[in-house]
Amino acid sequence: MQARALGNNLAILAMGGLLVGYLLLLIGVGALGQAQLRNAAEREAHFDLEKREAVLSYFFAERRDDMAMLAEDRALETYFANQALGMSMAYGLRASLLSLRERLVRLKQLKRVGDIDVYRRITLFRGDGQALADSLSEEASSMRWDNLAEILTADRPVILIGQDPGGPQLHAAAPVRYKGQLQGVVIGTIDSQRVLDALYPEQRDQAAQEYALLGPSGVAMALATGNRAHGPPPTARTAIFMTAVSGTPLRLAAYAEPRSGQRYFTSPWFLAALFLLAIPVSFGVWRLLRMNSQNLVLQALTEAAQRQRDALSERNVLLQAEVAKRLEYEQLLARQANFDPLTDLPNRNLALDRLTQAIKRARREQLRVLAMFLDLDHFKLVNDSLGHGAGDVLLREAAARLGTVTRDSDTLARLGGDEFLLVFTEIHNAGNAELLATEVLNALRPPFHIRNQEFFIGASIGMALYPDDGDTAEALLKNADIALYRAKHEGRNRFHFFTTAMDTDARERLALDSHLRHAIERDELHVVYQPLVDLQSRHIIGVEALLRWQSAALGNVSPVHFIPLAEDTGIIHELTAWVLQQACTAAAQWNRQRPLRLAVNISAKEFVHPEKLLATVERLLTASGLAPAQLELELTESLLVQATPAVGTALAQLHDMGIRLSVDDFGTGYSALSYLQRFPFDTLKIDRSFVQGVEDNPASAALVRAIAKMAEALGLETVAEGVETEDQVRFLGEVQCPLAQGYLFSRPLTAAAMQQLLERERPAVRPRLLVGN
């Protein structure tokens, strides 16, 4: 019995031990499963927090971009430009302010999503905090923003927290500048509903986690999930995760209810019951199966959490790709806005910015800055002869050569066309600038080889130094441009420093140009005529038409001043047509009484488009009734030396029409005599500087004699200009020069005075014909 009892006891103890072991095993497995589930939930919550922070960062970045774009809007620039010009509200400024408010209203409407606006209102404040324009109210003068220091010192768009009567409010703001000076601040008040929509792209009542957007002091700016629209989270909850929202003073916090995981207890009474009641092993097996089924449920939940995490990761990858694509596009736009696509050099915008930065540094360190404005000489010749593709090749090679002259601290930029700007820093004196200009000219001196052709392209350079010639980028660039014009005027392929006198000349030239453009409509122009006399008979055989300008504001303006200006600005085409019309009409009337030749000077600029000149001449001859043989066009040697095939064709067509062609001021230009054979000329006009020296200057006398002999050999008629004495007439008779004009015979006369002179002249005239003014 004792042995049997002992055996039963041992069996009971063995069964109890086995049951306790099963229970302990199940408790351990359950605890491990709960830990894994809790870790998976925490990872999911953390990943979801990072995703929503990225969405919020992108949302607030768009708001900063909105304000940055608005701060640079043309409506704001126009308003502050008008304000800087001194406009009052009555004259122009109020209209600019209304246009500015309309721009604020349009931007607010553009940012509407469905029935909800991203911005509750958008307001422009001055630097002292006073409102200028508001999207919700036409009268914004009563609004103020007392502390703008945070925005003004940031010098970039920011997201800030303002205190409204209804509680803290999010705002996007950006400083507004005009010509580098702070003028005010644009502030967009962000609708909290849009923040919640950005925080919860899904339905908020379906979100698995609750979040709050906290300010620096911990105050909630926007709320969590469920049916709550906004407000602070319950105080009983604590944030399980928290992260800063990039680019803002905000933090995003995730909240959760306290979790009470399933706990298991192993009571001593339960163990005692096992031992005392000898619970069958089947109960332990059933318990084991039950715990195993719970473990399977936990595993299924873990796998579902993993799948959700993978889906979130995929969405995050897509979002990052979209952000990277947007950044790449913005970088491309920024490069296109600041760099020249042909030469890959900085364009005008970036060049002015770098020049401004160089001036700021020079002001701090007491240095000098050199602005070198460069223009390629005869670049148009390459475009006209080989096409714009060859011109682009030349520009790229010229940019490469110029790059060898600059240092890393300097700037080389293409401003447009064949114009370049070089900004040199740390210039000590004008001597350094001269050396740099010489190096630039030497870099461009070797020939350019384009499409198996060789071109020599020099450059004209204008230079201005900071602080001597200006203390702003705009002033230096303007003055360097003025100096460049002087360098071109003096013969090209050279450099010139800016001087105050140049600025005065430029202003005078600008004023002269302004008055000249209205000279015809104001009836300030008139044509005078100087007789052309046959020296043998002293008969008037023709007249030369000369343009004169009697300005009401400037007085009598010499052709020496306004004709070159008209050629540079393009007004010469209008003046030439007007002179031809007046002169042809007058000459046609005189030719009804007696044969008379009309000479008119033609600018070389007219042959840029020779087909237009031919059409104008033909039209005016037909309208006036003047025979082509009675018209003589006077050309300068500069046109003939550099004449293109198109110019030669135009001259041949004019000659075929019966129009006479003459070379004006022969001997003072290039005197490349080959053009006398290439083109169908009828007359050579000997310049007055040679004629006036024949009496006492043997060299002038020899030149006039040689010109007359050469013209006779070529079958050309000669005309001596500027004849003032009888001794000059006798000498011209000796060298067999048949025609002359000058003050000895008559000064230039008006059309009416010329008509009277022709009526007084009879077939038998006196040996000498003197006519007053």
Side-chain angles (χ1 to χ4, degrees):
M1 288 292 294
Q2 293 180 351
R4 187 174 181 179
L6 179 60
N8 292 335
N9 291 335
L10 290 174
I12 293 173
L13 290 174
M15 185 175 293
L18 181 62
L19 184 57
V20 170
Y22 273 116
L23 290 175
L24 292 175
L25 178 62
L26 292 177
I27 291 173
V29 171
L32 180 61
Q34 283 187 335
Q36 291 180 349
L37 181 60
R38 183 170 56 255
N39 291 336
E42 289 178 355
R43 287 193 298 270
E44 178 186 352
H46 188 271
F47 183 80
D48 193 62
L49 179 70
E50 292 179 345
K51 179 195 71 172
R52 297 181 190 276
E53 186 277 331
V55 172
L56 283 177
S57 298
Y58 187 79
F59 174 81
F60 287 118
E62 287 189 325
R63 305 292 75 78
R64 294 195 299 272
D65 289 347
D66 291 343
M67 294 301 104
M69 177 185 68
L70 180 58
E72 297 175 357
D73 192 86
R74 184 173 297 276
L76 276 74
E77 182 180 356
T78 301
Y79 173 80
F80 288 114
N82 290 341
Q83 186 182 55
L85 291 173
M87 288 188 180
S88 66
M89 293 298 289
Y91 295 96
L93 197 57
R94 180 176 297 276
S96 295
L97 192 59
L98 291 176
S99 175
L100 175 56
R101 181 181 179 273
E102 291 176 359
R103 182 68 184 95
L104 298 181
V105 173
R106 285 198 302 272
L107 178 60
K108 179 176 178 295
Q109 294 173 346
L110 285 174
K111 296 303 176 179
R112 173 172 294 180
V113 177
D115 296 328
I116 302 176
D117 293 335
V118 171
Y119 297 102
R120 290 172 53 197
R121 69 192 317 161
I122 303 176
T123 311
L124 170 64
F125 294 91
R126 292 201 310 247
D128 59 358
Q130 182 64 47
L132 287 175
D134 181 66
S135 62
L136 295 183
S137 174
E138 294 183 357
E139 295 295 330
S141 59
S142 61
M143 297 179 59
R144 287 192 58 82
W145 191 287
D146 295 327
N147 185 11
L148 296 178
E150 178 182 357
I151 307 171
L152 296 176
T153 56
D155 200 27
R156 65 182 184 277
V158 296
I159 300 297
L160 53 86
I161 302 172
Q163 189 64 36
D164 287 356
Q169 182 66 54
L170 290 175
H171 305 276
V176 179
R177 296 177 179 275
Y178 176 69
K179 291 188 175 181
Q181 298 297 321
L182 284 169
Q183 301 293 334
V185 172
V186 286
I187 297 178
T189 302
I190 303 173
D191 193 288
S192 60
Q193 183 66 34
R194 295 303 303 139
V195 180
L196 290 175
D197 290 343
L199 189 59
Y200 292 100
E202 70 276 19
Q203 295 294 327
R204 288 197 296 276
D205 55 0
Q206 297 177 3
Q209 192 65 50
E210 298 183 353
Y211 298 89
L213 196 60
L214 306 179
S217 60
V219 177
M221 304 302 301
L223 226 208
T225 64
N227 296 323
R228 295 181 296 276
H230 56 80
T235 57
R237 299 185 182 185
T238 58
I240 59 173
F241 296 106
M242 186 176 296
T243 184
V245 180
S246 177
T248 72
L250 304 171
R251 293 174 299 165
L252 181 62
Y255 294 87
E257 295 283 348
R259 294 178 179 265
S260 57
Q262 188 176 9
R263 299 181 181 181
Y264 303 94
F265 302 94
T266 56
S267 172
W269 295 103
F270 177 72
L271 294 176
L274 288 177
F275 286 108
L276 294 174
L277 299 177
I279 299 176
V281 176
S282 59
F283 178 80
V285 174
W286 174 79
R287 186 72 175 176
L288 180 61
L289 291 175
R290 182 180 177 186
M291 294 300 298
N292 185 56
S293 64
Q294 291 181 353
N295 186 52
L296 291 176
V297 172
L298 292 176
Q299 184 177 359
L301 292 175
T302 302
E303 291 176 354
Q306 182 63 37
R307 288 194 298 272
Q308 186 177 7
R309 179 181 178 182
D310 293 340
L312 291 174
S313 298
E314 184 178 353
R315 290 177 59 186
N316 186 50
V317 170
L318 294 176
L319 179 60
Q320 290 178 347
E322 182 66 24
V323 171
K325 183 178 180 181
R326 178 183 175 89
L327 290 176
E328 181 181 357
Y329 181 68
E330 290 177 351
Q331 291 173 356
L332 177 62
L333 291 179
R335 183 162 190 84
Q336 290 177 348
N338 293 292
F339 287 87
D340 172 48
L342 177 63
T343 61
D344 204 31
L345 295 176
N347 61 11
R348 178 181 291 271
N349 293 334
L350 185 56
L352 285 175
D353 180 71
R354 290 189 178 179
L355 180 56
T356 300
Q357 298 305 320
I359 291 174
K360 290 180 179 178
R361 180 190 170 197
R363 186 179 294 117
R364 291 193 305 267
E365 301 179 9
Q366 301 297 314
L367 299 174
R368 288 190 174 190
V369 176
L370 171 64
M372 185 181 295
F373 204 142
L374 181 146
D375 184 272
L376 298 179
D377 295 334
H378 310 302
F379 173 73
K380 187 176 183 298
L381 179 63
V382 177
N383 274 344
D384 292 343
S385 58
L386 298 182
H388 291 279
D392 292 344
V393 174
L394 174 61
L395 288 173
R396 284 193 289 267
E397 185 173 345
R401 293 191 187 183
L402 293 175
T404 62
V405 182
T406 58
R407 303 162 299 180
D408 292 340
S409 60
D410 302 327
T411 296
L412 169 62
R414 181 187 176 210
L415 302 186
D418 58 343
E419 294 179 343
F420 294 86
L421 174 66
L422 293 91
V423 179
F424 294 96
T425 59
E426 300 179 7
I427 300 297
H428 299 289
N429 50 51
N432 296 139
E434 291 183 4
L435 291 176
L436 288 171
T438 302
E439 289 184 22
V440 170
L441 292 177
N442 290 337
L444 299 174
R445 195 178 306 279
F448 291 82
H449 297 278
I450 303 174
R451 297 182 182 175
N452 299 324
Q453 294 194 35
E454 188 177 75
F455 291 90
F456 289 88
I457 304 294
S460 300
I461 299 174
M463 295 187 289
L465 282 169
Y466 166 84
D468 308 68
D469 304 325
D471 57 357
T472 65
E474 290 79 5
L476 283 182
L477 192 60
K478 183 198 72 160
N479 293 337
D481 192 12
I482 293 174
L484 170 65
Y485 176 81
R486 178 60 59 88
K488 282 183 171 292
H489 183 71
E490 292 183 356
R492 301 176 184 269
N493 197 31
R494 63 187 64 213
F495 60 84
H496 213 297
F497 283 98
F498 171 78
T499 63
T500 306
M502 290 182 190
D503 189 40
T504 302
D505 293 343
R507 293 177 184 274
E508 292 177 353
R509 180 181 175 85
L510 183 62
L512 190 65
D513 177 53
S514 177
H515 289 289
L516 181 58
R517 291 181 182 275
H518 300 284
I520 294 179
E521 64 186 58
R522 294 172 180 170
D523 199 22
E524 295 179 348
L525 298 177
H526 63 280
V527 180
V528 295
Y529 304 88
Q530 188 169 35
L532 178 65
V533 177
D534 185 327
L535 291 179
Q536 184 174 1
S537 64
R538 298 294 179 95
H539 277 172
I540 299 175
I541 67 164
V543 295
E544 179 180 1
L546 303 170
L547 180 62
R548 295 292 184 265
W549 180 19
Q550 183 66 36
S551 172
L554 305 176
N556 187 21
V557 184
S558 170
V560 175
H561 294 125
F562 73 83
I563 292 297
L565 175 62
E567 290 179 333
D568 290 343
T569 58
I571 310 176
I572 190 65
H573 306 297
E574 183 179 357
L575 296 183
T576 299
W578 187 83
V579 171
L580 279 171
Q581 179 187 18
Q582 299 292 319
C584 289
T585 301
Q589 181 178 355
W590 297 330
N591 271 274
R592 296 189 186 97
Q593 303 173 9
R594 54 180 291 184
L596 200 65
R597 199 159 85 195
L598 170 66
V600 179
N601 291 280
I602 299 296
S603 168
K605 299 292 185 181
E606 295 293 341
F607 287 88
V608 174
H609 301 289
E611 67 282 355
K612 294 183 179 180
L613 175 63
L614 289 169
T616 299
V617 171
E618 186 175 7
R619 175 175 57 82
L620 293 177
L621 286 175
T622 302
S624 64
L626 183 67
Q630 302 302 120
L631 177 62
E632 181 174 87
L633 301 181
E634 298 185 1
L635 312 173
T636 60
E637 291 180 288
S638 61
L639 166 68
L640 305 174
V641 171
Q642 301 179 359
T644 63
V647 173
T649 301
L651 293 178
Q653 291 175 342
L654 289 170
H655 191 266
D656 292 342
M657 291 169 58
I659 298 172
R660 295 174 59 88
L661 301 176
S662 68
V663 181
D664 194 18
D665 300 331
F666 182 79
T668 60
Y670 297 90
S671 299
L673 302 180
S674 61
Y675 65 75
L676 294 177
Q677 295 178 323
R678 292 168 52 201
F679 304 117
F681 287 107
D682 302 287
T683 306
L684 290 183
K685 299 193 75 171
I686 305 173
D687 187 69
R688 66 179 65 249
S689 61
F690 301 136
V691 174
Q692 292 176 353
V694 297
E695 300 161 293
D696 51 11
N697 188 335
S700 295
L703 283 173
V704 173
R705 186 177 288 107
I707 293 172
K709 289 294 184 182
M710 178 189 65
E712 181 181 4
L714 294 175
L716 301 177
E717 185 180 58
T718 54
V719 177
E721 296 180 305
V723 177
E724 296 181 355
T725 66
E726 288 292 346
D727 291 338
Q728 295 169 356
V729 172
R730 283 192 292 272
F731 176 80
L732 294 174
E734 293 174 3
V735 299
Q736 297 183 352
C737 177
L739 303 176
Q741 61 185 88
Y743 286 178
L744 176 65
F745 310 110
S746 174
R747 291 179 178 273
L749 304 173
T750 64
M754 192 68 210
Q755 176 71 33
Q756 295 176 3
L757 177 62
L758 293 174
E759 291 175 354
R760 289 199 303 267
E761 190 179 55
R762 296 291 184 269
V765 297
R766 298 182 180 180
R768 179 178 177 185
L769 179 62
L770 290 174
V771 180
N773 289 333

